[in-house]
Amino acid sequence: MTQHTHGPSAHRYTGGFPKIGIRPIVDRRKKVKAAIGEMTMELARAAAELIAAHVRNPDGSPAETIVFDTCISGMPEASRCSELFRREGVGAVLTVAAGWCYPLETIEIDATLPHAVWGFNGTERPGAVYLAALHAAHNQKGLPAFKIYGRHIQQPYERDIPGDVREKLLRFARAGQAAALLRGRSYLSVGTVSMGIAGCIVDENFYRRYLGMKNAYVDMTEVTRRIEDGIYDPEELRRAVEWTQTYCAEGPDPNTENERIPAERKRQNWIKSVQMTLIVRDLMIGNPKLAELGFEEEAYGYDAVASGFQGQREWTDHNPSADVLEAILCSSFDWNGVREPYMVATENDNLNAISMLFNHYLSHTAQIFADVRAFWSPEAVERVAGRKPEGVAEQGFLHLINSGPAALDGTGEQSRDGRPVMKPHWEIEEGEVEACLAATSWRPTYMDQFAGGGYSTDFTTRGGMPVTMSRLNLVDGLGPVLQLAEGWTVELPPDMHDALDLRTTPTWPTTWFVPNLIPGDPVFDDAYGVMENWGSNHCAISYGHIGADLITLASVLRIPVNMHNVDPKHIFRPSAWSAFGTKDPEGADYRACAVYGPLYK
C-alpha cells in the first residue's frame, strides 16, 4: 500500500497552491541602496529558503515563495510587485528590510492579504526603525500587519535567521498559507440539519466574509440516485470492497440475537457503505473517470475542501450509517493507498468541519472528530472502576468519542522515534497503515440508534501523543469565536478503560484526553473547567500542540479566541492588537477583531 498520485485524488489541486510573496525594501538614495541593497535581497532569499524548507502544501510539496526581483524603494516598484503577486496567486506577503525606507511609498495596501514585516535588528542602518514606521502606517490605515523583530542586535554581515525570528516567520507563513488555502473554495453540505443540532446550520455570511469561501448543497437523495444508477467507478468499487474484506475486520455485534441483521444484509451494507464513500468523495472533488463512463455532469464535483453528511435520521433509519464513509475519507489512506485526508463532518456539523480544516492546514495531519462526551473526575473513576487514575490522568480527564469521523490515524499506530504519532500523509509507511487498520474493529451499529445498520469503528487512541482540541462556534451578536485546549492523550489500565467505556457506546473509538493545566486559571485549573466551558457537543482533535498557530490564524481571519492554554510568549498577532490593550490580551483580541471586522468584508 503506497502513496498514490494518479488516483481519484490526483486532481484535487490542479489549480495549484497559493504562494507567499516576499518584498525586499531599501532606501532609494544611491549610496544607501549600494550599501545595503544586496544585503536586503540576501535576507529576503534566506526567508524564502526557510519557508520552503519548513512549510508544506497539502500535497507535501514545499510552499512556494516569490521574491520580487529587485529591491522596492518607491511606488513604481511597489506597484509592479503588487501586480506580479496578483498574477502569481500570492496569498500572503512578507516584507523584509535592513534599513530605513519610505513607508507610505513602499506599503502594500491589499487588505485581504495577510502581511508581515521583518525588520533586521542591526544598528548601522536599523531595519527596526523602518519596521516601526511602517507598522504605524499600517495601523493608521487600518491594515493590520505582523511585526517580526529579533531580540538580539545582529552584525551587518550576518545572514543566519535568529531563532525567535524563525519562529515568527514560520508561524506567519503557516497561518497565511492556511487562510489563502480557504479562499475561493467551498464547503459541501450533503443533507441539512441532523437531529436539531445547530452546528449543522450553514451561515453563508460567515463563510463568505470570514473565510472567503462558497457553499454548496446536495440533498441526500443524490447519493441514493448515484447508488441506484451506478454513478461511480465500478472498477474502484471492486477494489475497495476487496480491500475492506481484507483489512477491515468485523468486530462483535452488540445487538441482541433478535435485533441482529442477517449475514447477507450485512454484506450488502458493506458494499453500500463503500458506494457511499466513493460518491461523497466524488461530490467533493469530482472524478474525471465518471466523464469517461458517460456521466459528464457528475464528474465535476463541488471543489469542496470540507463537507458534512447529515445522516441521522432521514438516512440512517433505512440505510447504512455514514460511519464507514466518514472514517475512511477522514483517514490518510484508503484502497488506493496513502493520500491527503478529507475533512468530512458527521451530522453535517459544518462548524466542526471548519475546525478540522484549520487544524489540518496547520498540521497536515488527519483529524479526530469527537463528541466531548464526559469529564471523569478521580472520585467518579474510583467509584466505577475501583481505584483512582494515576500519572498524567490523576486529576481527571475527558472522554472524547463519536461514531464515524475519527480518522483511523487516531489509533496512534504510526510512530516516530518509537513514540506514537499522527503523521502528514507523505511520511506514512505501508506498515503503519496496516497497523492502524489492525488496531480498528468495525462493529455493527446499535439497531436502536441506526435502524438501517452499518458499521462503526472501534479503537482506543494510544497514550502519550501531544494533541490540540479545538472548536469554532458562532454566537449571535458576537460572531465566530475559536476555543482550544492543548494536552495529551492517555491510556488507562484495561480494566479501568472497560469499566468507563462500557458506560457509554463501547463500539465507537475512544480518545482519553488530559488538557495541559494552569493552576489558578479560570478555565484550565482542572480538566472539568475545559468541559464546563466548551461551546459545543463536538470538537476537532489534531496531532501536535498547534495552539499558537491556531491563534495566529484566527487573528488573520479576525476571529477572537475565547479560551486557550498557550504560553503567552508564543502568541503572535498583528502589532495593532497591542493598541487595544496590553494588560488583557484576550480582551484586546476581541476589541481588535470587532474593529477590523472580517477579512473579506
Side-chain angles (χ1 to χ4, degrees), residues 375-398 490-493 495-497 500 512-514 527:
F375 164 71
W376 280 98
S377 67
E379 294 77 12
V381 173
E382 184 178 33
R383 186 183 70 249
V384 172
R387 67 183 190 280
K388 290 184 177 180
E390 299 177 349
V392 177
E394 65 180 358
Q395 296 185 56
F397 46 85
L398 301 186
V490 294
E491 290 182 48
L492 303 181
D495 60 329
M496 184 179 292
H497 167 89
L500 275 51
W512 304 111
F513 172 73
V514 174

Side-chain angles (χ1 to χ4, degrees), residues 43-217:
L43 291 172
R45 295 186 195 109
E49 291 172 2
L50 175 71
I51 291 169
H54 295 280
V55 181
R56 297 290 191 108
N57 291 316
D59 68 348
S61 61
E64 188 174 347
T65 60
I66 298 179
V67 179
F68 190 58
D69 58 7
T70 187
C71 284
I72 297 168
S73 56
M75 290 184 174
E77 294 106 334
S79 296
R80 283 200 300 112
C81 181
S82 295
E83 180 57 33
L84 172 67
F85 285 1
R86 278 192 291 272
R87 289 198 309 269
E88 292 292 330
V90 164
V93 174
L94 170 67
T95 290
V96 177
W100 172 256
C101 194
Y102 307 143
L104 295 179
E105 296 182 19
T106 57
I107 194 171
E108 168 58 60
I109 61 170
D110 187 338
T112 65
L113 290 178
H115 198 151
V117 187
W118 173 26
F120 181 80
N121 187 6
T123 55
E124 290 73 18
R125 300 184 186 276
V129 176
Y130 170 74
L131 171 68
L134 180 61
H135 275 270
H138 270 272
N139 295 345
Q140 192 168 336
K141 290 178 174 291
L143 302 168
F146 292 84
K147 180 188 289 186
I148 301 174
Y149 172 61
R151 182 177 182 85
H152 302 294
I153 291 176
Q154 295 181 259
Q155 297 289 68
Y157 55 79
E158 287 186 64
R159 298 296 178 267
D160 292 339
I161 302 177
D164 57 342
V165 173
R166 286 168 57 94
E167 179 181 339
K168 290 181 177 179
L169 282 172
L170 293 176
R171 183 149 291 140
F172 167 76
R174 287 191 293 266
Q177 184 204 44
L181 284 165
L182 300 170
R183 189 179 305 142
R185 309 302 294 278
S186 68
Y187 175 83
L188 171 65
S189 297
V190 183
T192 56
V193 175
S194 173
M195 300 189 298
I197 298 172
C200 310
I201 300 171
V202 173
D203 185 327
E204 290 208 358
N205 280 330
F206 162 69
Y207 278 90
R208 178 179 59 82
R209 300 176 73 225
Y210 284 90
L211 308 180
M213 290 179 64
K214 298 175 285 186
N215 297 95
Y217 306 89

Side-chain angles (χ1 to χ4, degrees), residues 224-234 275 290 293 295:
T224 301
R225 182 181 78 90
R226 293 194 182 201
I227 291 174
E228 293 178 349
D229 293 351
I231 305 176
Y232 47 78
D233 181 352
Q275 289 172 319
L290 298 184
L293 297 171
F295 304 110

Side-chain angles (χ1 to χ4, degrees), residues 397-528:
F397 46 85
L398 301 186
H399 191 181
L400 308 179
I401 180 173
N402 194 282
S403 58
L408 304 189
D409 308 55
T411 57
E413 293 297 327
Q414 299 160 20
S415 64
R416 185 182 294 121
D417 300 325
R419 299 180 63 85
V421 299
M422 295 171 66
K423 294 180 176 179
H425 71 272
W426 57 84
E427 294 182 10
I428 297 174
E429 299 175 3
E430 181 174 350
E432 293 173 322
V433 172
E434 295 180 359
C436 291
L437 289 162
T440 304
S441 176
W442 298 81
R443 306 286 299 278
T445 58
Y446 282 98
M447 296 304 292
D448 61 343
Q449 298 179 43
F450 300 99
Y455 292 87
S456 297
T457 54
D458 181 11
F459 64 77
T460 303
T461 301
R462 291 188 62 186
M465 292 200 296
V467 294
T468 302
M469 168 182 165
S470 69
R471 170 72 185 188
L472 180 75
N473 296 299
L474 291 179
V475 179
D476 184 45
L478 174 62
V481 290
L482 182 70
Q483 55 185 170
L484 62 96
E486 294 183 339
W488 296 84
T489 63
V490 294
E491 290 182 48
L492 303 181
D495 60 329
M496 184 179 292
H497 167 89
D498 291 343
L500 275 51
D501 199 40
L502 288 170
R503 292 288 296 260
T504 177
T505 312
T507 61
W508 293 355
T510 279
T511 303
W512 304 111
F513 172 73
V514 174
N516 292 336
L517 302 181
I518 304 173
D521 186 90
V523 173
F524 290 95
D525 187 61
D526 65 4
Y528 174 78

